[in-house]
């Protein structure tokens, strides 16, 4: 009887990849209106960290709308902190425009700015700008701590034009905001006294959405809202923070900004899955290994890829060796 054994020196592939890493706790709803809601945010009892992270999924309209319940802001997107990608945790929201109290226009905006006091959210210094629209006005933002910033808008014409560059001389101006901003007040000052039938307003806006010369300001003032970005974290001394520190080395937490351009101490704690892991560090064992060897591109051209926990190795391919065993 002859037995032929074929021994291959090549490496075996890993089994099928595991299910996607969880972003929510238990059976909590993962999305609302197409927006992913990762923990510590959540929909429904037991699904969010505290009242500031509660999302109300408003289904009263033709499509569901996620609302950050405590400050009553529509949520456009939520992203987890990413130390590997050098990004802080972000919430894109629809922020009300602030109108001068005697303005002839109102839209759906407000005369009172949104306050984030008591939360672990701040208006993003790197992403937002203060913008003011009006003829011959100076708009000041008081951060209610120690700083006042502002910009001056002038315009020779009787009417502010429909589309502007916000240069300061065309009825629109803009400037950067102060760091760690949570609450503020807006003051409208008039150089020659308020004009009749004047529409004056200011807003914080996401600079990536703000291309002044292409914005239709008439539609903007009527809508009463503009996208803005909040940065978020959790309390440094919270129970959630102490729990996070206990589990594994697949993530990292920091009191400093992950944004290398705006590297600074943050007023809260941020956690991120390390490079080579994916998922949600705010959930116990929520960061799972990424199998780079099964990605869309080959990380080891001409060699074999071996997945490791949080990484991978490229090894030389071994030759196939055949042994023929003959039994007499």
């Amino acid at each position: 009887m002859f037995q032929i054994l074929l021994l291959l020196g090549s490496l075996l592939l890993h089994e099928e990849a595991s299910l996607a890493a969880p972003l929510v706790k238990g059976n909590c709803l993962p999305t609302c209106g197409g927006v992913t809601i990762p923990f510590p945010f959540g929909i429904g009892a037991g699904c969010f960290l505290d009242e500031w992270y509660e999302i109300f999924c408003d289904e009263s309209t033709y499509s569901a709308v996620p609302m950050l319940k405590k400050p009553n802001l529509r949520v456009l997107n939520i992203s987890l902190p990413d130390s590997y990608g050098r990004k802080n945790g972000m919430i894109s929201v629809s922020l009300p425009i602030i109108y001068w109290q005697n303005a002839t226009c109102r839209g759906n905006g407000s005369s009172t700015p949104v306050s984030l006091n008591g939360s672990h959210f701040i208006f993003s210094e790197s992403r937002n700008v203060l913008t003011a629209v009006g003829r011959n006005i100076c708009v000041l933002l008081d951060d209610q701590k120690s700083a006042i910033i502002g910009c001056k808008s002038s315009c020779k014409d009787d009417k502010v034009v429909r589309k502007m560059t916000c240069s300061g001389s065309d009825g629109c101006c803009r400037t950067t905001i102060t760091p760690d901003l949570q609450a503020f007040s807006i003051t409208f000052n008039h150089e020659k006294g308020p004009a009749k039938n004047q529409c004056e307003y200011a807003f914080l806006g996401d600079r990536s959405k703000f291309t002044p010369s292409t914005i239709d300001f008439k539609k903007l003032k009527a809508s009463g809202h503009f996208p803005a970005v909040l940065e978020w974290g959790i309390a440094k001394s919270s129970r959630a923070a102490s729990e996070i520190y206990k589990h594994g080395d697949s993530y990292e937490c920091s009191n400093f900004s992950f944004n290398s351009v705006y590297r600074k101490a943050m007023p809260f704690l941020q956690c991120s899955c390390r490079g080579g892991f994916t998922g949600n560090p705010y959930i116990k064992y929520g960061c799972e290994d990424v199998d780079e060897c099964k990605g869309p591109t080959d990380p080891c051209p001409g060699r074999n890829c071996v997945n490791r926990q949080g990484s991978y190795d490229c090894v030389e391919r071994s030759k196939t060796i055949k042994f023929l065993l003959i039994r007499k």
Side-chain angles (χ1 to χ4, degrees):
M1 173 180 169
F2 293 89
Q3 293 182 340
I4 302 176
L5 300 178
L6 184 62
L7 303 177
L8 302 177
S10 57
L11 297 171
L12 298 175
L13 294 175
H14 286 271
E15 296 181 358
E16 293 294 324
S18 61
L19 297 176
L23 294 178
V24 300
K25 291 182 67 176
N27 295 319
C28 297
L29 291 176
T31 64
C32 173
V35 177
T36 300
I37 312 296
F39 188 79
F41 300 89
I43 303 168
C47 293
F48 51 87
L49 182 60
D50 64 39
E51 61 180 355
W52 279 100
Y53 302 87
E54 181 178 2
I55 300 293
F56 169 64
C57 193
D58 185 358
E59 298 178 319
S60 63
T61 58
Y62 66 93
S63 62
V65 176
M67 300 291 296
L68 197 56
K69 188 173 181 179
K70 178 76 172 177
N72 193 33
L73 294 174
R74 178 174 181 173
V75 176
L76 306 176
N77 184 65
I78 302 177
S79 62
L80 292 166
D82 181 4
S83 61
Y84 190 71
R86 299 181 180 179
K87 296 178 182 178
N88 291 328
M90 302 279 187
I91 319 172
S92 295
V93 297
S94 183
L95 200 65
I97 287 173
I98 305 157
Y99 295 97
W100 175 49
Q101 60 182 1
N102 295 323
T104 57
C105 57
R106 284 293 172 186
N108 294 315
S110 173
S111 58
T112 305
V114 170
S115 173
L116 303 175
N117 281 336
S119 76
H120 292 96
F121 308 152
I122 58 174
F123 294 100
S124 174
E125 178 189 7
S126 64
R127 292 288 298 273
N128 298 311
V129 291
L130 169 66
T131 303
V133 178
R135 185 163 56 89
N136 300 321
I137 61 169
C138 178
V139 170
L140 301 177
L141 180 150
D142 186 339
D143 70 1
Q144 301 182 2
K145 293 179 181 178
S146 59
I148 296 177
I149 61 169
C151 66
K152 183 178 180 181
S153 170
S154 61
C155 185
K156 295 180 180 180
D157 298 331
D158 289 338
K159 294 182 179 180
V160 176
V161 293
R162 184 165 183 162
K163 293 188 177 182
M164 299 166 279
T165 60
C166 287
S167 63
S169 60
D170 57 357
C172 177
C173 64
R174 56 178 175 157
T175 187
T176 55
I177 66 172
T178 56
D180 300 340
L181 182 66
Q182 286 193 305
F184 60 93
S185 60
I186 293 289
T187 303
F188 294 85
N189 293 326
H190 300 82
E191 287 187 338
K192 302 177 182 179
K196 294 182 179 180
N197 300 321
Q198 176 100 337
C199 180
E200 298 167 351
Y201 56 93
F203 59 92
L204 294 186
D206 180 355
R207 67 172 75 232
S208 71
K209 307 289 185 183
F210 191 76
T211 307
S213 60
T214 62
I215 291 178
D216 189 325
F217 283 85
K218 286 189 176 181
K219 289 183 178 179
L220 175 61
K221 72 181 182 183
S223 72
H225 290 77
F226 195 84
V229 179
L230 314 181
E231 296 181 356
W232 65 272
I234 62 174
K236 299 175 184 178
S237 58
S238 67
R239 180 179 178 181
S242 63
E243 285 296 316
I244 287 171
Y245 279 130
K246 293 179 181 178
H247 304 291
D249 58 357
S250 59
Y251 56 85
E252 60 182 316
C253 297
S254 176
N255 296 326
F256 285 85
S257 170
F258 290 140
N259 185 335
S260 58
V261 178
Y262 286 80
R263 187 69 174 169
K264 63 176 185 178
M266 301 293 277
F268 44 68
L269 184 74
Q270 294 190 106
C271 297
S272 168
C273 294
R274 294 184 185 275
F277 293 87
T278 187
N280 188 342
Y282 298 97
I283 297 175
K284 186 176 180 180
Y285 307 123
C287 292
E288 297 184 352
D289 176 58
V290 175
D291 189 345
E292 293 87 353
C293 300
K294 293 186 178 180
T297 58
D298 184 0
C300 304
R303 293 183 292 174
N304 284 326
C305 179
V306 180
N307 188 58
R308 304 292 186 194
Q309 190 75 356
S311 185
Y312 65 93
D313 290 333
C314 295
V315 299
E316 296 299 328
R317 291 176 177 171
S318 55
K319 296 180 180 180
T320 299
I321 305 173
K322 296 181 180 180
F323 294 92
L324 184 62
L325 302 182
I326 302 175
R327 182 178 179 183
K328 296 181 179 180

